[in-house]
Amino acid sequence: MPRTHGDSRRDRRKLAVLATGALGLAAALTAAAIAAPDRAIAAPPTHRPGDPSQVIARVPRRDPAEAAARRTLAAAPDRVELAVELAKEDIARYRALSDPRYLGRAQATLARWWTLAEPPPEILLARATIEQAVHQFAAARADLDRLVRLRPGDPQGHLTRAVVATVTGDYAAARDSCQAIAALASPLVVATCEAPLEAIAGRADAAYARLSRLAAAARTGDAGVRGWALTTLAELAWMRGDTDAAMGHLAGTLALDDGDVYARDLYADILLATGRPGDASRLLAGREQIDAHLVRRAIAEHAMRGPGAAPLITEMRARIAAAAERGDRVHLREEARFALAVDGDAARALGLARDNWAVQRELADARLYAEAALAANAPAAAEPVIAWARATGVRDATLDRSLARLARPEVVR
Amino acid sequence: MRAAQLAVLAAVALAAAPAWAHKPSDAQLRLAVDGAAISGRLDVAVRDLDAALGLDGDGDGDVTWAELSRSAPQIADYVERRLTLGGDGAPCPLHLGPGAVTELSDGAYWAIAVSARCPRPPRSLDIEYRLLFDLDAMHRGLVRVAGTTAIVGDGAPVTLLLDRSTPIAAFVRDGIWHIWIGLDHILFLTCLILPAVFQRRTRRWAAADSLGDVCREVFEIVTAFTLAHSITLVISAIGLIALPSRIVETAIALSVVAAALNNLLRTIDARWAVACALGLLHGFGFSSVLIDLGLPSRELVYALLGFNLGVELGQAAIVVALVPVLYAIRATRGYQVLLWGGSAGVALLASVWTCQRWLA
């Protein structure tokens, strides 16, 4: 085809554009070589403050007594009872503030005996408590089994063993431990130990009645024990479907100890489950430095679709990423709930719920697993929970609903 | 038992940190290796440094800038005794630069510039990180080098292989792969090339006479597309422009719709211009692969060259396979079906993609 004058003009234009493109590409590559930000060490920005009196960080105040004790321990590292005392104090601080750094400090204090298979018995309880806190339940159980054999007269060992056994679904061992303290502790303590086991076995009504009676009778006992009893009553009430009573009990626990993380989380969960996200958010406001509170507040705010949701969600994602960086998988349950409620990622939530189930088997874990399987439209994946519910005989309003829906052939999300 | 614990709590006065997250302790060590020179930064929590060195001079629970900056030499000494770098087994003497403050989720960190020089460019980096474990057994050192992260949980040395030998070939392969799995890119290019064998002559459409002319036109289209997407690939990979991926992917899907509709409606004959303009979008789509690698700038250039080359090779393979076939069938009914039906089908498919990607 003969080329016209118009064709050559178009050709020149084409050539001009393509040549410009080629030059542009060369320029871009040169820019990349010279001026590109060095991505490998992209890091948070730094600054040097101008004002010498500006507070950079708040740190725990030094306690001279504790410092002296540590110096003594450093000079005489075999003083087991001193190390255990210091570790117990740090564990108590961890419980009060939910600050995991204290657990690390406690573990470091016990470093000398930490890897021993048969450490001095005094070490066993502290070690088991730390292991339990970071969800190393098998290790904790091994230590506690040894402890109750060596010190059958120590109620704390039996009690901790009962808690760990309950969490991991070994109800026979838990029952043994609760019964072992019958002669060593008050009836209220024994009843609080046994109540969750009775409830899991489908006898929540009887357990609730017995525990209520004993709790009412022990109005002036140890505040810690009473708080624990009230929380247990709340869990049983929720299982029976009586959410108002449950919330009443939890209000009592929080009145005894405002910093009780477990009780506040449970209260928030009930509020979320009964369609009161606003109340849940208010309950947790100002306490977001604790991951368990942050995730529930993020879920609550997300449910309300308010403007307050975005920063909480961003923060939660950052925490999950930070934990993943460290290789920590302590908060699988929270992560799964977040994935389900906020991201709507049922598949991921199901995977996390499954991984969580391999570590712990409380009722909350079963509820989560069933809910995730339902959301992911994967009733077959819920087999382990269905089997567990059948084996235990548990009757729980929330779980029963999820399991009923999973059993229907035309499962709808 | 609880009574004793409560008594202990009352005796300990603790400063609360309401704004910051409670997380276990970790420190971040970021390193980049350029030849025999190592550079980077170590971020350690001020709170952890206080536990190790007692920065809070007046014991009031606050570490001020004065207290912190005054302790800088003490901190540097602490770090120097507990951080050792080596390359291929040979020591790379450490030099610590000035420190500054940075904020992470759990509070203020002290950021120290780290540099080291190895006797020769290392193929593997040995890192012995021993900070804080004696005080906090759950402390972790997070070491980041060349896109990999190592978690150090005790004082044991860790060796990281530096992937010097990521050959250009690997990136070329990546590029070829990415265009072959990029159905949207392939369909875009195919729609533009498809009419090349069926040209407008005065006011009538007819099958082209000359393979030479066809090849010329295809060459122009492919070159325009290549240049356009290469430019945006580079710009986006080096971070000069960052677009949210949802928008990029949707725009790419729209460009495929446009190319297909252009075949049906014959709006623009100079399809090389379409390739040029819309090709800019496609480059943003390719770059996410390279961005995720987090490469330092020198390696990024090699990666870009290799990846881009791969994309072009993959593209060329498709074109070289396609054009002779199209030329051969250009006068047949089959070609008409392909051109009109095919373009309509692509327009439909790409519209579905557009909706999916926008709503993602």
PDB file of all heavy atoms in Angstrom, chain B residues 234-253:
ATOM      1  N   VAL B 234       8.990   0.667  36.654  1.00  0.00           N
ATOM      2  CA  VAL B 234      10.153   1.178  37.366  1.00  0.00           C
ATOM      3  C   VAL B 234       9.735   2.230  38.389  1.00  0.00           C
ATOM      4  O   VAL B 234      10.117   2.173  39.559  1.00  0.00           O
ATOM      5  CB  VAL B 234      11.176   1.760  36.374  1.00  0.00           C
ATOM      6  CG1 VAL B 234      12.290   2.449  37.121  1.00  0.00           C
ATOM      7  CG2 VAL B 234      11.724   0.665  35.488  1.00  0.00           C
ATOM      8  N   ILE B 235       8.934   3.184  37.956  1.00  0.00           N
ATOM      9  CA  ILE B 235       8.534   4.275  38.860  1.00  0.00           C
ATOM     10  C   ILE B 235       7.832   3.711  40.090  1.00  0.00           C
ATOM     11  O   ILE B 235       8.050   4.167  41.212  1.00  0.00           O
ATOM     12  CB  ILE B 235       7.589   5.254  38.131  1.00  0.00           C
ATOM     13  CG1 ILE B 235       8.337   6.012  37.057  1.00  0.00           C
ATOM     14  CG2 ILE B 235       6.985   6.238  39.124  1.00  0.00           C
ATOM     15  CD1 ILE B 235       7.438   6.937  36.260  1.00  0.00           C
ATOM     16  N   SER B 236       6.997   2.739  39.857  1.00  0.00           N
ATOM     17  CA  SER B 236       6.238   2.203  40.977  1.00  0.00           C
ATOM     18  C   SER B 236       7.097   1.297  41.846  1.00  0.00           C
ATOM     19  O   SER B 236       6.977   1.295  43.070  1.00  0.00           O
ATOM     20  CB  SER B 236       5.022   1.478  40.401  1.00  0.00           C
ATOM     21  OG  SER B 236       4.584   0.502  41.237  1.00  0.00           O
ATOM     22  N   ALA B 237       8.004   0.538  41.225  1.00  0.00           N
ATOM     23  CA  ALA B 237       8.834  -0.378  42.020  1.00  0.00           C
ATOM     24  C   ALA B 237       9.798   0.370  42.923  1.00  0.00           C
ATOM     25  O   ALA B 237      10.149  -0.105  43.996  1.00  0.00           O
ATOM     26  CB  ALA B 237       9.589  -1.330  41.102  1.00  0.00           C
ATOM     27  N   ILE B 238      10.252   1.553  42.490  1.00  0.00           N
ATOM     28  CA  ILE B 238      11.166   2.298  43.353  1.00  0.00           C
ATOM     29  C   ILE B 238      10.414   3.171  44.338  1.00  0.00           C
ATOM     30  O   ILE B 238      11.011   3.880  45.134  1.00  0.00           O
ATOM     31  CB  ILE B 238      12.173   3.177  42.547  1.00  0.00           C
ATOM     32  CG1 ILE B 238      11.452   4.303  41.811  1.00  0.00           C
ATOM     33  CG2 ILE B 238      12.972   2.316  41.604  1.00  0.00           C
ATOM     34  CD1 ILE B 238      12.404   5.227  41.068  1.00  0.00           C
ATOM     35  N   GLY B 239       9.090   3.126  44.255  1.00  0.00           N
ATOM     36  CA  GLY B 239       8.313   3.809  45.285  1.00  0.00           C
ATOM     37  C   GLY B 239       8.054   5.263  45.006  1.00  0.00           C
ATOM     38  O   GLY B 239       7.564   5.979  45.877  1.00  0.00           O
ATOM     39  N   LEU B 240       8.357   5.730  43.800  1.00  0.00           N
ATOM     40  CA  LEU B 240       8.140   7.137  43.485  1.00  0.00           C
ATOM     41  C   LEU B 240       6.647   7.455  43.474  1.00  0.00           C
ATOM     42  O   LEU B 240       6.211   8.523  43.903  1.00  0.00           O
ATOM     43  CB  LEU B 240       8.753   7.443  42.111  1.00  0.00           C
ATOM     44  CG  LEU B 240       9.332   8.830  41.919  1.00  0.00           C
ATOM     45  CD1 LEU B 240      10.357   9.110  42.998  1.00  0.00           C
ATOM     46  CD2 LEU B 240       9.990   8.926  40.552  1.00  0.00           C
ATOM     47  N   ILE B 241       5.883   6.532  42.918  1.00  0.00           N
ATOM     48  CA  ILE B 241       4.429   6.674  42.947  1.00  0.00           C
ATOM     49  C   ILE B 241       3.863   5.374  43.511  1.00  0.00           C
ATOM     50  O   ILE B 241       4.260   4.297  43.087  1.00  0.00           O
ATOM     51  CB  ILE B 241       3.845   6.877  41.528  1.00  0.00           C
ATOM     52  CG1 ILE B 241       4.423   8.123  40.884  1.00  0.00           C
ATOM     53  CG2 ILE B 241       2.329   6.974  41.589  1.00  0.00           C
ATOM     54  CD1 ILE B 241       3.874   8.369  39.478  1.00  0.00           C
ATOM     55  N   ALA B 242       2.981   5.495  44.473  1.00  0.00           N
ATOM     56  CA  ALA B 242       2.368   4.291  45.037  1.00  0.00           C
ATOM     57  C   ALA B 242       0.859   4.413  44.914  1.00  0.00           C
ATOM     58  O   ALA B 242       0.261   5.309  45.484  1.00  0.00           O
ATOM     59  CB  ALA B 242       2.765   4.141  46.495  1.00  0.00           C
ATOM     60  N   LEU B 243       0.263   3.509  44.154  1.00  0.00           N
ATOM     61  CA  LEU B 243      -1.190   3.536  43.997  1.00  0.00           C
ATOM     62  C   LEU B 243      -1.807   2.331  44.692  1.00  0.00           C
ATOM     63  O   LEU B 243      -1.230   1.257  44.684  1.00  0.00           O
ATOM     64  CB  LEU B 243      -1.565   3.497  42.502  1.00  0.00           C
ATOM     65  CG  LEU B 243      -1.093   4.665  41.654  1.00  0.00           C
ATOM     66  CD1 LEU B 243      -1.483   4.441  40.199  1.00  0.00           C
ATOM     67  CD2 LEU B 243      -1.723   5.968  42.156  1.00  0.00           C
ATOM     68  N   PRO B 244      -2.962   2.517  45.291  1.00  0.00           N
ATOM     69  CA  PRO B 244      -3.603   1.372  45.945  1.00  0.00           C
ATOM     70  C   PRO B 244      -3.938   0.287  44.929  1.00  0.00           C
ATOM     71  O   PRO B 244      -4.404   0.585  43.828  1.00  0.00           O
ATOM     72  CB  PRO B 244      -4.891   1.955  46.540  1.00  0.00           C
ATOM     73  CG  PRO B 244      -4.962   3.357  46.148  1.00  0.00           C
ATOM     74  CD  PRO B 244      -3.761   3.743  45.371  1.00  0.00           C
ATOM     75  N   SER B 245      -3.693  -0.961  45.312  1.00  0.00           N
ATOM     76  CA  SER B 245      -3.772  -2.015  44.309  1.00  0.00           C
ATOM     77  C   SER B 245      -5.193  -2.227  43.789  1.00  0.00           C
ATOM     78  O   SER B 245      -5.393  -2.621  42.639  1.00  0.00           O
ATOM     79  CB  SER B 245      -3.212  -3.323  44.867  1.00  0.00           C
ATOM     80  OG  SER B 245      -4.157  -3.919  45.718  1.00  0.00           O
ATOM     81  N   ARG B 246      -6.176  -1.948  44.643  1.00  0.00           N
ATOM     82  CA  ARG B 246      -7.559  -2.131  44.195  1.00  0.00           C
ATOM     83  C   ARG B 246      -7.837  -1.229  42.999  1.00  0.00           C
ATOM     84  O   ARG B 246      -8.460  -1.629  42.006  1.00  0.00           O
ATOM     85  CB  ARG B 246      -8.485  -1.789  45.362  1.00  0.00           C
ATOM     86  CG  ARG B 246      -9.960  -1.884  45.046  1.00  0.00           C
ATOM     87  CD  ARG B 246     -10.771  -1.821  46.330  1.00  0.00           C
ATOM     88  NE  ARG B 246     -12.137  -1.399  46.091  1.00  0.00           N
ATOM     89  CZ  ARG B 246     -12.625  -0.197  46.392  1.00  0.00           C
ATOM     90  NH1 ARG B 246     -11.854   0.701  46.927  1.00  0.00           N
ATOM     91  NH2 ARG B 246     -13.881   0.095  46.147  1.00  0.00           N
ATOM     92  N   ILE B 247      -7.360   0.016  43.068  1.00  0.00           N
ATOM     93  CA  ILE B 247      -7.596   0.979  41.983  1.00  0.00           C
ATOM     94  C   ILE B 247      -6.829   0.554  40.738  1.00  0.00           C
ATOM     95  O   ILE B 247      -7.356   0.593  39.618  1.00  0.00           O
ATOM     96  CB  ILE B 247      -7.161   2.388  42.425  1.00  0.00           C
ATOM     97  CG1 ILE B 247      -7.963   2.810  43.648  1.00  0.00           C
ATOM     98  CG2 ILE B 247      -7.265   3.366  41.288  1.00  0.00           C
ATOM     99  CD1 ILE B 247      -8.264   4.258  43.764  1.00  0.00           C
ATOM    100  N   VAL B 248      -5.578   0.117  40.943  1.00  0.00           N
ATOM    101  CA  VAL B 248      -4.757  -0.291  39.807  1.00  0.00           C
ATOM    102  C   VAL B 248      -5.399  -1.469  39.086  1.00  0.00           C
ATOM    103  O   VAL B 248      -5.551  -1.459  37.853  1.00  0.00           O
ATOM    104  CB  VAL B 248      -3.339  -0.679  40.290  1.00  0.00           C
ATOM    105  CG1 VAL B 248      -2.584  -1.403  39.198  1.00  0.00           C
ATOM    106  CG2 VAL B 248      -2.580   0.552  40.717  1.00  0.00           C
ATOM    107  N   GLU B 249      -5.794  -2.469  39.836  1.00  0.00           N
ATOM    108  CA  GLU B 249      -6.349  -3.663  39.204  1.00  0.00           C
ATOM    109  C   GLU B 249      -7.646  -3.350  38.474  1.00  0.00           C
ATOM    110  O   GLU B 249      -7.908  -3.869  37.377  1.00  0.00           O
ATOM    111  CB  GLU B 249      -6.602  -4.748  40.266  1.00  0.00           C
ATOM    112  CG  GLU B 249      -5.325  -5.290  40.908  1.00  0.00           C
ATOM    113  CD  GLU B 249      -4.397  -5.950  39.905  1.00  0.00           C
ATOM    114  OE1 GLU B 249      -4.888  -6.683  39.023  1.00  0.00           O
ATOM    115  OE2 GLU B 249      -3.181  -5.699  39.970  1.00  0.00           O
ATOM    116  N   THR B 250      -8.477  -2.504  39.081  1.00  0.00           N
ATOM    117  CA  THR B 250      -9.727  -2.125  38.422  1.00  0.00           C
ATOM    118  C   THR B 250      -9.446  -1.369  37.138  1.00  0.00           C
ATOM    119  O   THR B 250     -10.068  -1.606  36.095  1.00  0.00           O
ATOM    120  CB  THR B 250     -10.593  -1.255  39.355  1.00  0.00           C
ATOM    121  OG1 THR B 250     -10.704  -1.900  40.613  1.00  0.00           O
ATOM    122  CG2 THR B 250     -11.953  -1.006  38.771  1.00  0.00           C
ATOM    123  N   ALA B 251      -8.479  -0.460  37.192  1.00  0.00           N
ATOM    124  CA  ALA B 251      -8.153   0.325  36.002  1.00  0.00           C
ATOM    125  C   ALA B 251      -7.628  -0.568  34.889  1.00  0.00           C
ATOM    126  O   ALA B 251      -7.937  -0.355  33.703  1.00  0.00           O
ATOM    127  CB  ALA B 251      -7.113   1.397  36.359  1.00  0.00           C
ATOM    128  N   ILE B 252      -6.839  -1.581  35.266  1.00  0.00           N
ATOM    129  CA  ILE B 252      -6.325  -2.494  34.240  1.00  0.00           C
ATOM    130  C   ILE B 252      -7.470  -3.248  33.583  1.00  0.00           C
ATOM    131  O   ILE B 252      -7.508  -3.403  32.350  1.00  0.00           O
ATOM    132  CB  ILE B 252      -5.290  -3.475  34.856  1.00  0.00           C
ATOM    133  CG1 ILE B 252      -4.011  -2.710  35.235  1.00  0.00           C
ATOM    134  CG2 ILE B 252      -4.963  -4.600  33.889  1.00  0.00           C
ATOM    135  CD1 ILE B 252      -2.980  -3.555  35.936  1.00  0.00           C
ATOM    136  N   ALA B 253      -8.404  -3.698  34.417  1.00  0.00           N
ATOM    137  CA  ALA B 253      -9.566  -4.403  33.842  1.00  0.00           C
ATOM    138  C   ALA B 253     -10.327  -3.486  32.890  1.00  0.00           C
ATOM    139  O   ALA B 253     -10.751  -3.896  31.797  1.00  0.00           O
ATOM    140  CB  ALA B 253     -10.477  -4.904  34.960  1.00  0.00           C
TER     141      ALA B 253
END
